[in-house]
Amino acid sequence: MCVRNNEQLSSAHVGEKMIRSLARLFVVPTLFCSFGFAQNAWTPKEINDMRDIRDAALSSDYGYQELSYLTDSIGPRLTGSAQYNAAADYVAAEMRKLGLEVTLEKATVPHWVRRNESGELVTYPGQANHFPQKIVLTALGHSVGTPADGVTAEVVVVNNSDELHALGDKVQGKIVLFNAKYDDRLRDAGYSFDAYGDAVRYRGIGPAEAAKLGAVGALVRSVGSADYRLPHTGLTLVDPKGKNVPAAAVSAEDADLLARLTKRGPVQMKLVLNTEMLEPVTGYNVIADLKGSEHPDEYVIVSGHLDSWDLGTGAIDDGAGVAIAMQAVETIHRLNLHPKRTIRFVAWVDEEGGISGALQYAKDYPAAKHFGTIESDTGAGHPIGYITDSSDEAFKVLAPIAPLLEEMGVVVNRTGEEAGADISPLSWAGVPGFAPLMDSRKYFDYHHTAADTLDKVDPKELRENGALVGVLAYGLANCAKTLPRIAKPVPDWMK
Amino acid sequence: MCVRNNEQLSSAHVGEKMIRSLARLFVVPTLFCSFGFAQNAWTPKEINDMRDIRDAALSSDYGYQELSYLTDSIGPRLTGSAQYNAAADYVAAEMRKLGLEVTLEKATVPHWVRRNESGELVTYPGQANHFPQKIVLTALGHSVGTPADGVTAEVVVVNNSDELHALGDKVQGKIVLFNAKYDDRLRDAGYSFDAYGDAVRYRGIGPAEAAKLGAVGALVRSVGSADYRLPHTGLTLVDPKGKNVPAAAVSAEDADLLARLTKRGPVQMKLVLNTEMLEPVTGYNVIADLKGSEHPDEYVIVSGHLDSWDLGTGAIDDGAGVAIAMQAVETIHRLNLHPKRTIRFVAWVDEEGGISGALQYAKDYPAAKHFGTIESDTGAGHPIGYITDSSDEAFKVLAPIAPLLEEMGVVVNRTGEEAGADISPLSWAGVPGFAPLMDSRKYFDYHHTAADTLDKVDPKELRENGALVGVLAYGLANCAKTLPRIAKPVPDWMK
């Protein structure tokens, strides 16, 4: 998942807040028993159907095979790329094989491309024979490029915005490195997303802050906890009307190197980011409906985002989410179950680049027609629970399902602030959103890096998430009770 | 360290064997008490001096500061490069600052250079819109290059030589991938070097085997246990008279990808390795003598190798070994101690490319003048013991030192087959060789990769090794007893 990070788009931080709250879920498990008012939300047969869905999904390799194909045979699926479109065609074809009603729905999406990129220290304390030293880096998503032969400037290192602003116009003509560290202690305690949220803000707004002070480039320390000289990309804020500077993430090791060297003396760095924002293109949400038997025009969405960053093959972010959703609908279909409401599978386009697919969807389909939404966008770790962006009342309605889930280790229920970036536009309008709550302690070792590849997904854990989402989707589609609908403040950038 | 790997150079496997025996040391600690015949190997004052050396080294940052400079300010130190020479000049200057007698001794060394390199799948099962998919790889050291625009061929995957030979001439015109896996279970059990030895042989001899069968390129699965899409370089066998093919290591993830895709259908790969073996150049062993007060023409060597592979900055392999040796002599000098025999610091050139520096040294200095040698070339993990390539008799002589070392956690003594690649030419002639025995479970996560950087070294553990080597060097230099001298078979490739 991305964490959108336009400071003006402060709702971009919705994602971060949600994510922070996720981590807290590790701490306070809330086990529900059935409450009187929810006892007849499902018939005994429907409860049995959900048990069957769970068990069938737990023993199915369908989702993993789909994920294998998406990552191995198609590879990275950057919004706007030919690979993205191939993936959309592939997923649509797979859904048609199941007999679902499939549409590829258009959205105008950004088309950013990464070409060559490099960094090197041109002069630095102790340098031998004028030889440069390599810096391992990668351009941030949507970053403007440098001139073809790069920009060369002195590097200044700051740990936070306060230090940047204390320097003031001393950063003019310089390349600013934001050296905010990912907090491994938070991760070790199960708060991976808190650690991420704290570290990632400079990826989003740092370059713009540096540009305002006259910097000529911006670097951020790669977000995450790996120490394998691994650069971590992700969206950065680009203001179409303001001043932008080329922006890249450097590996943690190189960030430390720059911090040490700049204390010894001046460091001149050459930064080459050959990137380009091309004209917007048409992208596609893949929509596939398992038609409702009683309320075909009422929807329960199961979803993940099909686009990925381009360095790895987008296995954990978010091929896994798409595969989990595919597993859920395939299982329900295979068991020949007919949900009362339509279960709508969605593979979203452009979550990473600004949820343009989800925004288009929210324009095209009235929120009122949606009973509930699910998105899986935190990898494929063992699900310890699930969250809603609605309220505890939702869990009370869903209480009869809890024993089914507890038997597979899903024991934590909690309300969060956002269940998924793509389902958030519907959530603003009050549609209850849900998401698996996974063990994500390894997630930020690989997320947004070249190492986001198939091997990072455990097939068993992927199945567990497919089972959870399948049960939840069928439960929502057949729920005899209504769920609380709580509209959320629409963020400023949407107005 | 390298593990030399010319099959004809079967003594190249001396290193591997030594290394395997190292791991076994974890299992059978052998605690020595003083034996009668060794009781007067040192005076009580000398024992006290060694305690002082230990304690002074354990509280000194000298070695770490030197390592910081070598890695941060000079960076990679590939044999034949300007950076190597700068490092040699720097170390020589540092040794002169201590008042040691310093010489830069010449050796003719290989001069191999890596330029651009890339891999991509040109066609593969499920491919979208003819788009290539990236393969993360790095040329193996000394590999011949491809034509400038690369070589494109079908990939065949084998797990071992038997599978290769079973294919026979079916590999003609193909690129062969040797997909031998590093055994994490061995590593977890403390047998890192056994796991390495088992996996690394194809890096050395695989390309030559594939070339003999008519292959046009060779790939090996990166050796090591990291799953961060990290390619691992190292020496490969190049036969100046025979047929050679371009050879690279692919990341573990990409090796798995190739194995999966080739099962689904034909995979065509484009391999670009722009490398070149230039004319040999002059390299330098840095030699610095702390002159002996009684036997100035008898030597005890303390050493590490100053050259490194070019992807990282050579912190664990083997900047650490050089820093440990620097720490040892600096501590003895700082305490104003005057060893009876000369303690000779050596920073070796070209361990990675074939120990040409060590071979030159063995030509220039008679083995008979050497009382003992120490090399540290397994990183900087906590030393749990030390080894000798001599015999248990050596440990009996050294028994009075054991209590000093036990107090710092150095409790394991064991005889191995090779204590260090650079000191092996002297060992063949019977000079007892020694090496710290370190906890190396993380070593092959970073070794020979871009992630071999300063942060991988724990300053405290580096100090522990400096203390161990300092005590041992002073002990050997002042030892009143002789050590057993056991000549070893000179390997065929030396004859």
Side-chain angles (χ1 to χ4, degrees):
Chain A
M1 70 187 305
C2 86
V3 170
R4 277 162 297 123
N5 35 33
N6 184 329
E7 195 167 42
Q8 296 156 309
L9 311 193
S10 65
S11 82
H13 296 144
V14 170
E16 286 180 29
K17 286 179 196 162
M18 175 279 288
I19 273 165
R20 289 173 196 218
S21 67
L22 281 186
R24 294 193 187 101
L25 302 190
F26 284 72
V27 182
V28 191
T30 311
L31 299 175
F32 285 91
C33 51
S34 299
F35 287 82
F37 62 86
Q39 273 173 346
N40 60 352
W42 296 278
T43 65
K45 179 183 181 305
E46 287 170 330
I47 295 286
N48 276 336
D49 289 344
M50 284 185 266
R51 183 174 287 109
D52 290 345
I53 292 168
R54 179 196 70 186
D55 294 342
L58 283 176
S59 62
S60 169
D61 266 346
Y62 177 82
Y64 189 75
Q65 293 303 325
E66 297 294 356
L67 179 61
S68 299
Y69 198 86
L70 285 173
T71 53
D72 279 4
S73 288
I74 297 175
R77 304 171 301 280
L78 190 60
T79 294
S81 69
Q83 286 96 326
Y84 179 85
N85 291 344
D89 288 341
Y90 170 76
V91 171
E94 289 296 288
M95 290 292 101
R96 279 190 202 103
K97 277 189 201 168
L98 300 183
L100 273 58
E101 194 173 303
V102 177
T103 52
L104 285 170
E105 302 215 350
K106 292 179 182 177
T108 300
V109 298
H111 187 196
W112 178 81
V113 292
R114 180 196 311 277
R115 297 193 181 96
N116 61 308
E117 53 192 11
S118 66
E120 61 183 29
L121 305 187
V122 179
T123 60
Y124 52 97
Q127 184 178 23
N129 299 330
H130 308 292
F131 266 78
Q133 189 166 168
K134 185 177 182 181
I135 295 293
V136 176
L137 55 73
T138 196
L140 294 181
H142 292 195
S143 171
V144 297
T146 61
D149 59 349
V151 58
T152 300
E154 189 179 336
V155 178
V156 292
V157 180
V158 299
N159 292 301
N160 50 53
S161 293
D162 288 346
E163 289 185 18
L164 177 74
H165 290 293
L167 286 172
D169 58 12
K170 286 181 188 161
V171 305
Q172 276 187 18
K174 308 274 174 67
I175 295 171
V176 175
L177 164 63
F178 294 90
N179 193 25
K181 289 184 187 170
Y182 182 92
D183 190 335
D184 288 344
R185 296 167 307 173
L186 274 175
R187 175 211 51 199
D188 292 343
Y191 291 76
S192 295
F193 284 89
D194 284 55
Y196 183 65
D198 289 344
V200 81
R201 67 182 299 269
Y202 296 104
R203 193 191 75 200
I205 64 170
E209 284 186 343
K212 278 183 196 153
L213 292 172
V216 296
L219 305 173
V220 297
R221 184 189 181 93
S222 280
V223 178
S225 42
D227 62 348
Y228 290 86
R229 223 164 172 200
L230 202 64
H232 171 280
T233 191
L235 193 63
T236 191
L237 164 67
V238 174
D239 181 351
K241 295 174 189 162
K243 187 181 173 195
N244 297 295
V245 292
V250 300
S251 77
E253 288 91 338
D254 292 277
D256 285 341
L257 173 68
L258 284 163
R260 290 192 299 263
L261 286 179
T262 51
K263 279 185 189 159
R264 294 183 200 158
V267 175
Q268 292 274 330
M269 179 171 168
K270 180 178 179 183
L271 175 66
V272 179
L273 301 180
N274 192 338
T275 64
E276 195 174 357
M277 183 62 88
L278 305 172
E279 287 302 306
V281 295
T282 299
Y284 304 92
N285 293 322
V286 183
I287 297 182
D289 287 347
L290 185 61
K291 278 286 179 188
S293 58
E294 294 187 11
H295 310 289
D297 60 344
E298 290 183 20
Y299 300 105
V300 171
I301 286 179
V302 293
S303 66
H305 68 85
L306 188 54
D307 66 300
S308 78
W309 287 108
D310 53 327
L311 303 177
T313 57
I316 62 169
D317 188 13
D318 183 33
V322 173
I324 288 163
M326 292 176 86
Q327 178 73 67
V329 296
E330 188 273 345
T331 304
I332 295 166
H333 168 77
R334 176 158 44 91
L335 295 178
N336 200 26
L337 296 172
H338 299 282
K340 290 176 179 168
R341 298 182 182 88
T342 292
I343 293 180
R344 169 165 280 188
F345 165 91
V346 187
W348 304 101
V349 65
D350 194 35
E351 191 272 346
E352 298 293 358
I355 66 165
S356 50
L359 292 170
Q360 184 63 50
Y361 181 92
K363 278 187 197 164
D364 294 345
Y365 293 92
K369 290 287 184 189
H370 292 77
F371 185 80
T373 60
I374 308 171
E375 181 166 26
S376 173
D377 186 18
T378 56
H382 167 66
I384 61 169
Y386 70 104
I387 72 164
T388 183
D389 59 13
S390 175
S391 74
D392 282 344
E393 291 302 309
F395 287 122
K396 290 178 185 167
V397 174
L398 291 162
I401 300 177
L404 299 180
L405 300 178
E406 286 171 20
E407 287 168 16
M408 55 176 282
V410 173
V411 295
V412 180
N413 296 326
R414 177 139 178 164
T415 56
E417 290 159 30
E418 182 185 291
D422 297 296
I423 57 176
S424 61
L426 293 171
S427 293
W428 301 331
V431 181
F434 296 87
L437 172 63
M438 303 176 195
D439 179 350
S440 301
R441 284 172 294 177
K442 293 279 283 178
Y443 189 65
F444 291 104
D445 281 7
Y446 307 115
H447 169 264
H448 288 200
T449 75
D452 179 3
T453 47
L454 180 63
D455 54 298
K456 306 310 181 303
V457 174
D458 180 288
K460 176 175 174 288
E461 294 180 337
L462 188 77
R463 288 196 291 268
E464 291 169 351
N465 285 291
L468 166 58
V469 170
V471 166
L472 200 53
Y474 194 76
L476 294 172
N478 279 37
C479 191
K481 299 276 182 186
T482 55
L483 296 173
R485 294 176 80 91
I486 304 163
K488 287 147 203 97
V490 176
D492 290 342
W493 63 274
M494 264 298 289
K495 289 173 185 168
Chain B
M1 72 186 304
C2 86
V3 171
R4 277 160 298 124
N5 35 32
N6 184 327
E7 195 167 41
Q8 297 157 309
L9 311 194
S10 66
S11 81
H13 296 144
V14 170
E16 287 180 30
K17 286 179 197 165
M18 174 279 288
I19 273 165
R20 289 174 197 218
S21 68
L22 281 187
R24 296 193 187 102
L25 303 190
F26 284 72
V27 183
V28 191
T30 311
L31 299 175
F32 285 92
C33 51
S34 299
F35 287 82
F37 62 87
Q39 273 173 345
N40 59 351
W42 296 277
T43 65
K45 179 183 181 305
E46 286 170 330
I47 294 287
N48 275 337
D49 289 344
M50 285 185 265
R51 181 174 288 109
D52 290 346
I53 291 167
R54 180 195 71 187
D55 294 342
L58 283 175
S59 62
S60 169
D61 267 347
Y62 178 82
Y64 190 75
Q65 292 304 324
E66 297 294 355
L67 179 61
S68 299
Y69 197 88
L70 285 173
T71 53
D72 279 3
S73 289
I74 297 175
R77 304 171 300 280
L78 190 60
T79 294
S81 69
Q83 286 96 325
Y84 179 84
N85 292 344
D89 287 341
Y90 171 76
V91 172
E94 289 296 287
M95 291 291 102
R96 280 190 200 103
K97 277 189 200 167
L98 300 182
L100 273 58
E101 194 173 303
V102 176
T103 53
L104 285 170
E105 303 214 349
K106 292 179 183 177
T108 300
V109 297
H111 187 196
W112 178 80
V113 291
R114 180 195 312 276
R115 297 193 180 97
N116 61 309
E117 54 191 12
S118 65
E120 61 183 29
L121 304 188
V122 179
T123 61
Y124 52 96
Q127 183 177 25
N129 298 332
H130 307 293
F131 266 79
Q133 188 166 169
K134 185 178 181 181
I135 294 293
V136 176
L137 56 73
T138 195
L140 295 180
H142 292 195
S143 171
V144 297
T146 62
D149 59 350
V151 59
T152 299
E154 189 179 336
V155 179
V156 292
V157 180
V158 298
N159 293 300
N160 50 52
S161 293
D162 288 346
E163 289 185 17
L164 177 74
H165 290 293
L167 287 172
D169 57 13
K170 287 181 187 161
V171 305
Q172 276 187 17
K174 309 276 174 64
I175 295 170
V176 175
L177 164 63
F178 293 89
N179 193 25
K181 289 184 188 170
Y182 182 92
D183 189 336
D184 289 344
R185 295 167 307 174
L186 274 175
R187 175 211 51 199
D188 292 343
Y191 291 77
S192 296
F193 284 89
D194 283 56
Y196 182 65
D198 290 344
V200 81
R201 66 182 300 270
Y202 295 105
R203 194 191 75 202
I205 64 170
E209 284 185 343
K212 278 183 197 152
L213 293 172
V216 296
L219 305 172
V220 297
R221 183 189 181 93
S222 280
V223 179
S225 43
D227 62 348
Y228 289 86
R229 223 166 173 200
L230 202 64
H232 171 280
T233 192
L235 193 63
T236 192
L237 164 66
V238 174
D239 180 352
K241 294 173 189 163
K243 189 182 172 196
N244 297 295
V245 292
V250 300
S251 77
E253 288 90 339
D254 292 277
D256 285 341
L257 174 68
L258 284 164
R260 290 192 300 262
L261 287 180
T262 51
K263 280 184 189 159
R264 293 184 201 157
V267 175
Q268 292 274 330
M269 179 170 169
K270 180 178 179 184
L271 175 66
V272 179
L273 301 180
N274 192 339
T275 63
E276 194 174 359
M277 183 63 87
L278 305 172
E279 287 302 306
V281 295
T282 299
Y284 304 91
N285 294 321
V286 183
I287 297 182
D289 288 346
L290 185 60
K291 278 286 179 189
S293 57
E294 293 188 10
H295 310 290
D297 59 345
E298 291 183 19
Y299 300 106
V300 170
I301 286 179
V302 293
S303 66
H305 68 84
L306 187 56
D307 65 301
S308 77
W309 287 108
D310 52 328
L311 303 177
T313 57
I316 62 169
D317 188 12
D318 184 34
V322 173
I324 288 163
M326 292 175 86
Q327 178 74 68
V329 295
E330 188 273 346
T331 304
I332 295 166
H333 168 76
R334 177 158 41 90
L335 295 178
N336 200 27
L337 296 172
H338 300 282
K340 290 176 178 167
R341 298 183 181 86
T342 292
I343 293 179
R344 168 166 280 187
F345 165 91
V346 187
W348 304 101
V349 65
D350 194 35
E351 191 273 345
E352 298 293 358
I355 66 164
S356 51
L359 292 171
Q360 184 64 49
Y361 181 92
K363 279 186 197 165
D364 294 346
Y365 293 92
K369 290 288 184 187
H370 292 77
F371 185 81
T373 61
I374 308 171
E375 181 166 27
S376 173
D377 186 18
T378 56
H382 167 66
I384 61 169
Y386 70 105
I387 72 165
T388 182
D389 59 13
S390 175
S391 74
D392 280 345
E393 291 302 307
F395 287 122
K396 290 179 185 166
V397 174
L398 292 162
I401 300 176
L404 298 180
L405 300 178
E406 286 171 21
E407 287 167 16
M408 55 176 281
V410 172
V411 294
V412 181
N413 296 326
R414 177 140 177 163
T415 57
E417 290 158 31
E418 182 184 291
D422 297 296
I423 57 177
S424 61
L426 292 171
S427 293
W428 302 330
V431 181
F434 296 87
L437 172 64
M438 304 175 194
D439 179 350
S440 300
R441 284 172 295 178
K442 295 279 283 178
Y443 188 66
F444 291 104
D445 282 6
Y446 307 115
H447 169 264
H448 288 201
T449 76
D452 179 3
T453 48
L454 180 63
D455 53 298
K456 306 310 181 302
V457 173
D458 179 286
K460 175 175 174 288
E461 294 180 337
L462 188 77
R463 288 196 292 268
E464 290 169 350
N465 284 291
L468 165 58
V469 170
V471 167
L472 199 53
Y474 195 76
L476 294 173
N478 279 36
C479 191
K481 299 275 181 185
T482 55
L483 296 173
R485 294 176 79 91
I486 304 165
K488 287 146 204 98
V490 176
D492 290 342
W493 63 273
M494 264 298 289
K495 289 173 184 167

